Amino acid sequence: MNTGVWSPSSDSLKHIERCRMIDLPRINDPRGNLTFVESGEHIPFGIERAYYLYDIPGGAERGGHAHKELEQLIIAISGSFDIILDDGYRQERLHLNRSYYGLYVGNMVWREMDNFSSGSVCLVLASTLYDESDYYRDYDEFLQAARRGA
Ligand code: TYD
């Protein structure tokens, strides 16, 4: 994906249609560029938690779950990786490779991440504190919930 704003095709259904690529502000400077994210301004949730993935070995896959309520902004702070989004009706594979693009992922979207480049770092801004009970880790369980409109 090369454009700054991603919107799924109009036949999208359910929760995947709320996912979008957000073109974050960029302060270009010969000393180095700066990007920032403000709750309510650039993303539709308050940030309660940040976590990041790093030292990711070649061929690794992350994710493999959905969240009942959690919203997230996922940023390739360094390097690149792919994210596959799935709301139980359709899938989209996206490539993140810019530190000024954030992928907003709402609730009830199964995500998998792969194709991490060497030295890549994935920053995630999250709307709630860590809560294991918010996860669907079983795809069939997620699918059933998604299709009954959870
Ligand atoms: P998980 O969410 O499955 O990682 P990913 O989606 O990136 O593959 O989390 C991996 C482990 O880390 C799991 O045991 C839960 C723990 N964890 C926390 O303790 N706090 C956190 O904020 C996160 C995201 C995970």
Side-chain angles (χ1 to χ4, degrees):
M1 192 172 103
N2 297 317
T3 57
V5 176
W6 174 68
S7 53
S9 51
S10 56
D11 63 350
S12 64
L13 292 167
K14 301 289 181 185
H15 298 268
I16 205 170
E17 68 192 3
R18 302 208 311 268
C19 298
R20 60 189 180 274
M21 198 70 86
I22 297 174
D23 196 354
L24 297 166
R26 267 174 273 171
I27 311 293
N28 294 317
D29 190 311
R31 299 171 301 161
N33 300 334
L34 184 152
T35 283
F36 56 95
V37 185
E38 293 183 351
S39 297
E41 185 67 34
H42 308 110
I43 51 175
F45 61 84
I47 300 166
E48 286 284 326
R49 175 169 54 114
Y51 66 91
Y52 40 97
L53 307 173
Y54 55 99
D55 290 348
I56 303 161
E61 297 176 0
R62 302 286 317 208
H65 54 73
H67 290 280
K68 296 171 186 171
E69 300 296 338
L70 185 74
E71 300 170 88
Q72 296 179 315
L73 188 76
I74 301 174
I75 304 169
I77 285 292
S78 183
S80 64
F81 51 85
D82 289 355
I83 303 188
I84 304 103
L85 301 177
D86 176 348
D87 67 4
Y89 292 89
R90 59 190 288 265
Q91 293 188 350
E92 293 270 352
R93 176 180 280 270
L94 304 172
H95 185 61
L96 268 68
N97 62 354
R98 293 283 181 268
S99 40
Y100 49 83
Y101 287 162
L103 177 65
Y104 169 79
V105 180
N107 68 325
M108 293 305 289
V109 177
W110 188 269
R111 86 289 311 272
E112 300 190 2
M113 304 165 69
D114 61 15
N115 198 24
F116 288 92
S117 68
S118 173
S120 59
V121 178
C122 169
L123 172 67
V124 182
L125 306 179
S127 64
T128 69
L129 302 181
Y130 173 73
D131 175 8
E132 185 60 34
S133 70
D134 186 62
Y135 280 74
Y136 285 106
R137 291 195 184 272
D138 180 274
Y139 184 74
D140 290 336
E141 193 188 333
F142 160 72
L143 205 53
Q144 282 182 14
R147 293 192 169 177
R148 68 168 182 263

